[in-house]
Amino acid sequence: MGTTSLPNSPFAALNRGLLAYVALTAYIVVTSALMLMNTRTSLGTDVLFILFLLSFLLLYRAKVSNGYKLALGAIMLIGVVPYFGTMNAYYIELAIQAGIFVALALGLNVVVGFAGLLDLGYVAFFAVGAYLWGIFSTDQIGLISPGASPVSSQLFYLFMALGLFLGAFFGVLLGLPVLRLRGDYLAIVTLGLGEVIRVLAVNLDRPINITNGSQGIKSIARPPLPDFLRALFPGLNDPQLYQLFIYALALLVVGLTVLTVFRLKNSRIGRAWEAIREDETAAVAMGIPLVRMKLMAFAVGASFAGVMGVLFAAKQQFINPPTFDLIRSIGILAMVILGGMGSIPGVILGGVLVTLLDLQILPRIATELSALKRQGVVIPDWFDPAQYQRALFGLLLIIMMIFRPEGILPDQRRREEAHATEEQEALVEVETGEAKPA
């Protein structure tokens, strides 16, 4: 069932007509101006940055034309965020990380949200893309094949395409052994296969040193900085320009991912995935090729992770096996669940929210508590929010499952299913006399 605004709400008038355009634009202008006037890394700037990001959610929910939404969104993503990033590199780095994990969450959403296949080894495809570029762009390739030299950094974009196909290939390899599995059994097997990739990354340093083991691969090459950026921003140094360049690449990949996922969701393939998610037996009876559709879901989801793995390796210039552990897979799955499985805007919101909690909000709270402790405020030594990050994520998931099981921005079909189930349960309780009708 769709939700409607309360007619007597004092905020209802702000979400319709000309007033919606004025209120939305005013909020974005004010938060952007305040953020640009406070560029020092601090708690206040963090709050302003979060309020600025909140404008994207308001932009999505506002009842204004799609063209106006796209124009404002483009101005914020292409203008405000990069300009603010040149003043404080911390926040543009945060935006890059958010973009990487949003793309990963969108890929996992294809597998979990669209096709209903619980995959706990998704980070393995991320690792495949990262090690692909890490091996071929460094001297590590010479340890595998004596006499071979690293590829040119100019081939980075080719390797992004190779990462896409290699990720899809490994997605099919993962999907083949689990075609007959469902639910918990599927989750356990995918978890094991994901751990196999990590263990291989740790141990493939002998007899041939392929991954350099637990020491990881360092000095990974970066793609060359385009000359037009230096001409376009003559006042910025190379590190600043490079951050803007990586941000633009991440934004481009996220945009293409959103477009691809949206087109797939509204296609015959997307409807087939939805049918498989709801009832595999009925889907087969309706003529849906179950094996092909499941393998396609694994391949499509894994391909996005492969591309982002290549970009991640180039950005970090260092990778090692702990980067791709089970906790990373669980974190990406939490993004999908919190945002709303099957919902593209919801998964984007979940990816940004979890990234902010992980990299900004919890570390900032820990920093402020440490500052208060130095000033004489009595704070127990064991109380450090950053150390209880996973516990807070778990508590957040529990709260979501109790009060909003469909997610923050759920898919319309899942919202209807959740509320229909609640109504049916309430009706059964009334009919059996266990509860009194309201």
Side-chain angles (χ1 to χ4, degrees):
M1 294 182 296
T3 58
T4 57
S5 302
L6 295 175
N8 296 327
S9 171
F11 301 101
L14 294 176
N15 202 29
R16 62 172 181 264
L18 181 61
L19 192 57
Y21 288 86
V22 174
L24 179 63
T25 306
Y27 179 86
I28 292 174
V29 170
V30 170
T31 54
S32 300
L34 290 174
M35 187 178 66
L36 294 174
M37 290 188 295
N38 295 270
T39 58
R40 186 173 61 88
T41 304
S42 64
L43 178 61
T45 309
D46 286 350
V47 172
L48 290 173
F49 186 66
I50 292 172
L51 290 175
F52 170 77
L53 294 179
L54 180 62
S55 61
F56 287 97
L57 178 59
L58 298 177
L59 190 65
Y60 168 71
R61 300 302 296 267
K63 295 180 181 179
V64 297
S65 67
N66 291 333
Y68 192 74
K69 290 182 180 182
L70 290 174
L72 281 182
I75 291 172
M76 289 188 290
L77 289 174
I78 301 175
V80 178
V81 174
Y83 183 68
F84 183 59
T86 61
M87 300 178 180
N88 192 320
Y90 168 75
Y91 293 100
I92 194 70
E93 175 67 18
L94 191 63
I96 294 171
Q97 293 280 10
I100 289 174
F101 286 107
V102 163
L104 292 174
L106 286 168
L108 183 58
N109 189 42
V110 171
V111 183
V112 177
F114 293 175
L117 306 171
L118 185 54
D119 184 359
L120 294 182
Y122 184 71
V123 78
F125 313 123
F126 189 43
V128 166
Y131 272 96
L132 173 68
W133 179 243
I135 290 172
F136 281 91
S137 67
T138 63
D139 293 333
Q140 189 68 29
I141 187 64
L143 300 178
I144 300 173
S145 177
S149 57
V151 299
S152 170
S153 60
Q154 300 281 353
L155 297 178
F156 171 77
Y157 307 103
L158 173 61
F159 272 80
M160 288 187 73
L162 290 176
L164 185 145
F165 289 108
L166 191 63
F169 173 74
F170 273 86
V172 173
L173 286 184
L174 172 68
L176 284 173
V178 300
L179 287 175
R180 295 181 179 275
L181 301 179
R182 302 182 187 180
D184 299 339
Y185 300 100
L186 175 63
I188 293 299
V189 174
T190 54
L191 184 154
L193 292 175
E195 282 295 287
V196 165
I197 298 295
R198 186 188 63 81
V199 172
L200 285 175
V202 174
N203 293 283
L204 282 181
D205 58 345
R206 56 188 183 275
I208 300 176
N209 190 355
I210 299 176
T211 63
N212 206 31
S214 59
Q215 297 181 8
I217 301 175
K218 61 182 180 180
S219 302
I220 298 175
R222 287 182 164 184
L225 190 64
D227 293 332
F228 74 87
L229 280 179
R230 292 191 177 93
L232 193 60
F233 303 101
L236 301 180
N237 55 39
D238 279 2
Q240 289 176 313
L241 287 174
Y242 210 91
Q243 271 200 319
L244 293 181
F245 177 52
I246 295 296
Y247 169 76
L249 283 178
L251 192 62
L252 177 62
V253 174
V254 170
L256 292 175
T257 302
V258 171
L259 179 62
T260 304
V261 171
F262 178 79
R263 296 282 293 176
L264 283 172
K265 182 179 181 181
N266 295 282
S267 67
R268 295 178 61 185
I269 296 173
R271 290 191 290 273
W273 285 337
E274 186 176 310
I276 292 172
R277 184 191 71 202
E278 298 300 325
D279 192 325
E280 287 189 11
T281 304
V284 173
M286 293 297 293
I288 293 175
L290 190 64
V291 172
R292 188 192 311 168
M293 288 296 103
K294 280 189 173 183
L295 291 179
M296 185 176 293
F298 278 113
V300 170
S303 63
F304 300 137
V307 173
M308 271 306 179
V310 175
L311 181 61
F312 177 80
K315 184 188 80 69
Q316 296 293 110
Q317 295 188 289
F318 172 76
I319 54 173
N320 62 345
T323 307
F324 311 102
D325 58 7
L326 173 63
I327 297 299
R328 187 76 69 180
S329 283
I330 298 298
I332 300 171
L333 181 61
M335 298 174 187
V336 176
I337 295 174
L338 286 175
M341 289 191 294
S343 169
I344 297 174
V347 170
I348 294 173
L349 176 63
V352 173
L353 178 60
V354 173
T355 303
L356 289 178
L357 282 171
D358 190 7
L359 301 179
Q360 181 187 25
I361 298 175
L362 295 180
R364 179 63 60 197
I365 293 175
T367 301
E368 295 299 323
L369 290 176
S370 298
L372 290 175
K373 187 175 180 179
R374 288 194 298 269
Q375 294 173 8
V377 179
V378 179
I379 298 176
D381 293 335
W382 55 265
F383 187 71
D384 184 357
Q387 295 181 2
Y388 295 94
Q389 174 183 321
R390 302 303 168 191
L392 290 175
F393 282 165
L395 180 61
L396 185 60
L397 286 173
I398 292 172
I399 294 173
M400 285 296 300
M401 291 303 99
I402 294 174
F403 296 102
R404 197 173 178 84
E406 67 269 27
I408 301 175
L409 289 178
D411 179 67
Q412 180 65 26
R413 183 179 180 87
R414 284 187 176 271
R415 182 195 292 119
E416 293 174 355
E417 290 173 354
H419 288 288
T421 302
E422 292 174 0
E423 292 176 357
Q424 290 174 2
E425 291 176 352
L427 183 61
V428 170
E429 290 179 354
V430 170
E431 291 177 348
T432 56
E434 296 179 3
K436 295 181 179 179

